[in-house]
Amino acid sequence: MKKLLIGSMVCASVVMAWPFTPHNTNNFSKYTNPADAKLRKEALENDLIPIPTDKSKLQKYIQINTKDNPLNPAKIELGKKLYFDPRISRSGLISCNTCHNLSMGGVDGIPVAIGHKWAANPHHLNSPTVYNSVFFIKQFWDGRVTTLAEQAGGPSTAHVEMASTAKDIETFLNSIPTYVNEFRESFNGEKPTFENFTKAVAAFEATLITPSRYDDYLNGDDNALTPEEKKGLKTFIAVGCTDCHSDIALGGTRMETFPQLDDFKYENVGDYKGNKKGETKVPTLRNITETAPYFHNGTVWSLREATEIMANTQLGMNLSKEQLDSIVTFLKALDGRKPKIDIPQLPVRTDKTPVPQPDLNLK
Amino acid sequence: MKKLLIGSMVCASVVMAWPFTPHNTNNFSKYTNPADAKLRKEALENDLIPIPTDKSKLQKYIQINTKDNPLNPAKIELGKKLYFDPRISRSGLISCNTCHNLSMGGVDGIPVAIGHKWAANPHHLNSPTVYNSVFFIKQFWDGRVTTLAEQAGGPSTAHVEMASTAKDIETFLNSIPTYVNEFRESFNGEKPTFENFTKAVAAFEATLITPSRYDDYLNGDDNALTPEEKKGLKTFIAVGCTDCHSDIALGGTRMETFPQLDDFKYENVGDYKGNKKGETKVPTLRNITETAPYFHNGTVWSLREATEIMANTQLGMNLSKEQLDSIVTFLKALDGRKPKIDIPQLPVRTDKTPVPQPDLNLK
């Protein structure tokens, strides 16, 4: 039953040096149903863009993260180690994967991020997903930086998160010869620096792309979505969700006022009010079933309730039960195929490695 | 240069249903040097047992953990998910892998274990490694239980560790249909129970075996150890380390008084004094370079210093600089080949799943 890979995928395999998760290319129909062709056209007109099936086409969507940080296999592998290394944190216990857990949709699954010494995020902010974040052109809820590398420099040094410092991270990395060698290999002979640390983490994160049945459908597989999901996609477009949740990640590329047209009933949980203009980054909807609780302050556990709130606050609409169910049915089709990740074996400390500082209250 | 696998390994592949890490069977010499044959005999006489190269022979060393918990592939895969699932904990943030990190020698690399609400272990106890713990016949520092399943029930419900309860864990697991199905598949149709939870975790942990060059040497590869490492092994035996650090894990099978013949200079860090008889489990020396800081209270970062302390306190000996260096050289040959582990994708919560309780101090 398996069809051959399309030619462009094979050609593209040499274009970029990163392990892009292959699309499901089974069951592609040769003939496109006119109704599906129409729905695809409509999706495209509303800026819904599938993850391309070949790497060279992907490049234009990840430019912002690769311009000053070209990917190479050594850098990606190094970045994976750093992503899983809790010794980057002051305590030695918190890694990037603690809050952006790759086993759980790239999030921690708790309302408010917890960091060093069990500190809650002071603004009651929820950890956003790392999956597909390479497609974002705004990072953090207030969109204050543009690249994944800049983002990685934030939590690693925030005192309520990993609580380290740029200097401590450099000292740690330079104390371990394996890391020093891997940085030299990844960065044209350069030794570990804080900037290169953030770039290596970003390089690994750039591989965390999760194509879904939604992408398969938009890429031409009529049977990738069920009739109910196609109906949900139509509703999603018709009511105006795509005004904000569009582009390749259905989010991550726009800043919007939230709430806009109606009150958000959990608005007083935490003191976050957006950027200077009062705007918040539109989050991705990819893998949305895995990333509860929802909203910047992690206040809503139900995807249906979150959808209803969005319709009220952003579109000023009271959706029917049927419309809500239909949209939620579609959203579930955004669950993506995760890249296969072997846990890394981290290089062992040396006598020069500073000991962790968990700042415990010992008797 | 590659030699064929020995016949017994091939035959044994059907004996046990778990993914035993293959030994390095390259470079096996056909002829055994008489000096190596003599050293192997000496090792055997001192109860040093290599990890066997075939699964059927391994069985006798893991009997205690498989007798009431027969392994099967579904149970192992389920156990892997549970091992990495932080939702087992009250907060939703701490998994087995937090303190027994498979990327870091199966430990957390910090002096004292940190749990729920950043609590330090009240006795200042250090997290022991999970790698090769299937070989132990005593679990915990005070050896109070015998099986890995019994061990898994401890931290998951200790209020200073994962802070969950048997009932909460059962409620959580039964709220997620994927978990329910995987338990039924793993346990002859049974639904999730706390006991089965601990058994599934133990089944996964039973796969965490790390054969090393030391094993290759004892299994017949003359060239697996360097001349310096062989000399170190001789010293290790000669001074009496094998009186306690013997059997297949070089530890894990005996309880001993510590300190015995001399004071332990960090004795007053924490209030742990062993079991009722004042005895402590002899820890494994496998992967010892990766499991600093050392001792039950995690007080010593240097392997050389730890070795020196052990010679003083347990053997009443002041080793020469040369003897110490030689033993440490040998100990490094116990670094094992880790099993390749893909991070699991955890099943998504449902509306019936209780929300996590991180017990934060929110303003």
Side-chain angles (χ1 to χ4, degrees):
Chain A
M1 293 298 288
K2 292 197 178 182
K3 302 262 165 68
L4 289 172
L5 292 174
I6 54 174
S8 62
M9 279 193 73
V10 178
C11 297
S13 67
V14 296
V15 175
M16 294 188 66
W18 101 102
F20 176 50
T21 311
H23 279 261
N24 181 1
T25 50
N26 301 340
N27 305 319
F28 263 55
S29 42
K30 280 182 185 171
Y31 307 104
T32 295
N33 184 307
D36 292 306
K38 183 164 172 281
L39 181 52
R40 265 184 213 108
K41 187 164 171 287
E42 203 182 333
L44 191 65
E45 284 166 359
N46 284 278
D47 295 326
L48 291 178
I49 300 162
I51 297 175
T53 50
D54 74 68
K55 292 180 182 180
S56 58
K57 288 186 184 162
L58 253 186
Q59 192 123 31
K60 73 178 262 206
Y61 300 106
I62 61 169
Q63 277 171 352
I64 201 161
N65 283 300
T66 51
K67 201 179 62 174
D68 297 323
N69 189 21
L71 304 180
N72 64 59
K75 194 190 287 184
I76 291 167
E77 190 59 27
L78 169 60
K80 182 170 89 169
K81 289 183 183 175
L82 299 170
Y83 190 89
F84 281 95
D85 197 333
R87 298 170 301 180
I88 298 298
S89 67
R90 176 170 168 85
S91 66
L93 200 63
I94 301 174
S95 71
C96 303
N97 195 61
T98 302
C99 294
H100 305 284
N101 191 328
L102 300 180
S103 296
M104 292 172 59
V107 298
D108 48 18
I110 54 179
V112 51
I114 297 179
H116 190 68
K117 294 182 73 177
W118 212 254
N121 179 283
H123 309 292
H124 208 288
L125 287 174
N126 177 261
S127 305
T129 183
V130 66
Y131 280 116
N132 304 297
S133 59
V134 66
F135 296 131
F136 305 168
I137 60 173
K138 304 280 182 187
Q139 302 289 344
F140 296 116
W141 283 105
D142 63 0
R144 66 184 179 275
V145 304
T146 52
T147 68
L148 286 172
E150 289 170 287
Q151 191 280 337
S156 53
T157 58
H159 73 281
V160 291
E161 301 186 45
M162 294 169 83
S164 195
T165 66
K167 187 161 173 283
D168 285 348
I169 291 171
E170 290 182 352
T171 303
F172 167 69
L173 295 171
N174 281 288
S175 76
I176 298 178
T178 305
Y179 268 145
V180 174
N181 292 338
E182 291 179 4
F183 270 89
R184 291 200 189 282
E185 196 185 341
S186 307
F187 292 95
N188 297 314
E190 293 174 31
K191 69 175 187 179
T193 62
F194 180 65
E195 189 185 339
N196 286 345
F197 154 73
T198 63
K199 286 182 172 176
V201 171
F204 170 62
E205 291 174 340
T207 69
L208 302 175
I209 294 174
T210 71
S212 64
R213 290 188 294 108
Y214 157 82
D215 299 285
D216 299 340
Y217 179 74
L218 291 190
N219 281 322
D221 181 357
D222 284 0
N223 300 316
L225 295 184
T226 65
E228 292 73 25
E229 289 164 343
K230 292 176 195 176
K231 191 179 161 202
L233 172 55
K234 277 181 218 163
T235 312
F236 183 80
I237 294 169
V239 304
C241 303
T242 48
D243 289 358
C244 299
H245 290 287
S246 56
D247 293 331
I248 191 165
L250 300 97
T253 52
R254 299 170 64 95
M255 301 296 296
E256 295 288 341
T257 306
F258 173 83
Q260 199 161 68
L261 301 168
D262 198 0
D263 288 345
F264 172 48
K265 60 180 170 177
Y266 303 108
E267 197 166 356
N268 291 327
V269 177
D271 64 1
Y272 170 83
K273 300 291 174 204
N275 65 9
K276 284 177 187 171
K277 294 182 189 169
E279 293 171 339
T280 289
K281 183 179 71 175
V282 177
T284 180
L285 294 181
R286 290 187 177 274
N287 304 302
I288 193 72
T289 68
E290 300 178 47
T291 61
Y294 304 109
F295 295 104
H296 62 275
N297 56 6
T299 40
V300 177
W301 285 94
S302 153
L303 181 55
R304 195 172 189 285
E305 185 187 352
T307 308
E308 191 170 19
I309 288 171
M310 285 304 287
N312 294 340
T313 61
Q314 304 307 99
L315 302 171
M317 292 172 81
N318 281 314
L319 297 183
S320 69
K321 184 185 173 307
E322 193 189 7
Q323 283 174 311
L324 271 177
D325 288 341
S326 185
I327 292 172
V328 170
T329 297
F330 162 66
L331 292 176
K332 290 178 182 171
L334 296 172
D335 286 353
R337 295 180 287 277
K338 309 297 183 298
K340 198 167 180 142
I341 297 167
D342 297 326
I343 64 162
Q345 291 301 324
L346 301 178
V348 176
R349 72 187 303 280
T350 68
D351 289 342
K352 290 179 183 164
T353 308
V355 301
Q357 301 292 339
D359 300 328
L360 290 164
N361 290 319
L362 294 174
K363 287 168 199 163
Chain B
M1 293 298 287
K2 292 197 177 181
K3 301 265 165 66
L4 288 172
L5 292 174
I6 54 173
S8 61
M9 279 192 73
V10 178
C11 298
S13 65
V14 295
V15 175
M16 294 186 67
W18 101 102
F20 176 48
T21 312
H23 278 261
N24 180 1
T25 50
N26 301 340
N27 306 318
F28 264 54
S29 43
K30 282 182 185 172
Y31 308 104
T32 296
N33 184 307
D36 291 307
K38 183 165 173 283
L39 180 52
R40 265 183 214 110
K41 186 164 173 287
E42 202 182 335
L44 190 64
E45 285 166 358
N46 285 279
D47 295 326
L48 292 178
I49 300 162
I51 297 174
T53 50
D54 74 69
K55 292 181 181 180
S56 58
K57 287 186 184 163
L58 253 186
Q59 192 123 32
K60 72 178 263 204
Y61 299 106
I62 62 169
Q63 277 171 351
I64 200 160
N65 283 299
T66 51
K67 200 180 61 173
D68 298 322
N69 189 22
L71 305 180
N72 63 59
K75 194 190 287 183
I76 291 167
E77 191 60 26
L78 169 60
K80 182 171 88 170
K81 289 183 183 174
L82 298 170
Y83 190 88
F84 282 95
D85 197 333
R87 297 170 300 180
I88 298 298
S89 67
R90 176 171 168 85
S91 64
L93 200 64
I94 300 174
S95 72
C96 303
N97 195 59
T98 302
C99 294
H100 305 283
N101 191 327
L102 300 180
S103 296
M104 294 172 58
V107 298
D108 50 17
I110 54 178
V112 51
I114 297 178
H116 189 69
K117 294 183 74 176
W118 212 256
N121 179 284
H123 309 292
H124 208 287
L125 287 174
N126 177 260
S127 305
T129 183
V130 67
Y131 279 117
N132 304 296
S133 58
V134 66
F135 297 132
F136 305 169
I137 60 173
K138 303 279 182 187
Q139 302 290 344
F140 295 117
W141 283 105
D142 63 2
R144 66 184 178 275
V145 304
T146 52
T147 68
L148 287 172
E150 289 170 289
Q151 191 280 338
S156 53
T157 57
H159 72 282
V160 290
E161 301 186 46
M162 295 169 83
S164 195
T165 66
K167 186 162 172 284
D168 285 348
I169 290 171
E170 289 182 353
T171 304
F172 166 70
L173 295 171
N174 281 289
S175 76
I176 298 178
T178 306
Y179 268 145
V180 174
N181 292 338
E182 292 180 3
F183 269 89
R184 291 201 190 281
E185 196 185 342
S186 307
F187 292 95
N188 298 314
E190 293 174 31
K191 69 176 188 178
T193 63
F194 180 66
E195 189 185 339
N196 286 346
F197 155 73
T198 64
K199 285 182 173 176
V201 171
F204 170 62
E205 291 175 340
T207 69
L208 302 175
I209 294 174
T210 71
S212 64
R213 291 188 294 108
Y214 157 82
D215 300 285
D216 298 339
Y217 179 74
L218 291 190
N219 281 321
D221 181 357
D222 284 0
N223 300 316
L225 295 184
T226 66
E228 292 73 25
E229 289 163 343
K230 292 176 194 176
K231 192 179 158 201
L233 171 56
K234 278 180 217 163
T235 312
F236 183 80
I237 295 169
V239 304
C241 303
T242 47
D243 289 357
C244 299
H245 290 286
S246 56
D247 292 332
I248 192 166
L250 301 96
T253 51
R254 298 170 65 94
M255 301 296 296
E256 294 288 339
T257 306
F258 173 83
Q260 197 162 69
L261 300 167
D262 199 0
D263 288 344
F264 172 49
K265 60 181 171 177
Y266 303 107
E267 196 166 356
N268 292 326
V269 177
D271 63 2
Y272 170 83
K273 300 292 174 202
N275 65 8
K276 283 178 186 170
K277 294 182 188 170
E279 293 171 337
T280 289
K281 183 180 71 176
V282 177
T284 180
L285 295 180
R286 291 187 178 274
N287 305 301
I288 193 73
T289 68
E290 300 177 48
T291 61
Y294 304 110
F295 296 104
H296 62 275
N297 56 6
T299 41
V300 177
W301 285 93
S302 153
L303 180 55
R304 197 174 188 283
E305 185 188 353
T307 308
E308 191 171 18
I309 289 171
M310 286 304 287
N312 294 341
T313 61
Q314 304 307 98
L315 301 171
M317 293 172 81
N318 282 312
L319 298 183
S320 69
K321 182 184 174 307
E322 193 189 5
Q323 283 174 310
L324 270 177
D325 289 340
S326 185
I327 292 172
V328 170
T329 298
F330 162 66
L331 292 176
K332 290 177 181 170
L334 296 173
D335 287 354
R337 297 179 287 277
K338 309 299 183 298
K340 199 168 180 140
I341 297 167
D342 297 327
I343 64 162
Q345 291 301 324
L346 301 178
V348 176
R349 72 188 302 280
T350 67
D351 289 342
K352 290 180 184 164
T353 308
V355 302
Q357 301 292 339
D359 300 327
L360 289 164
N361 290 318
L362 294 174
K363 286 168 200 162

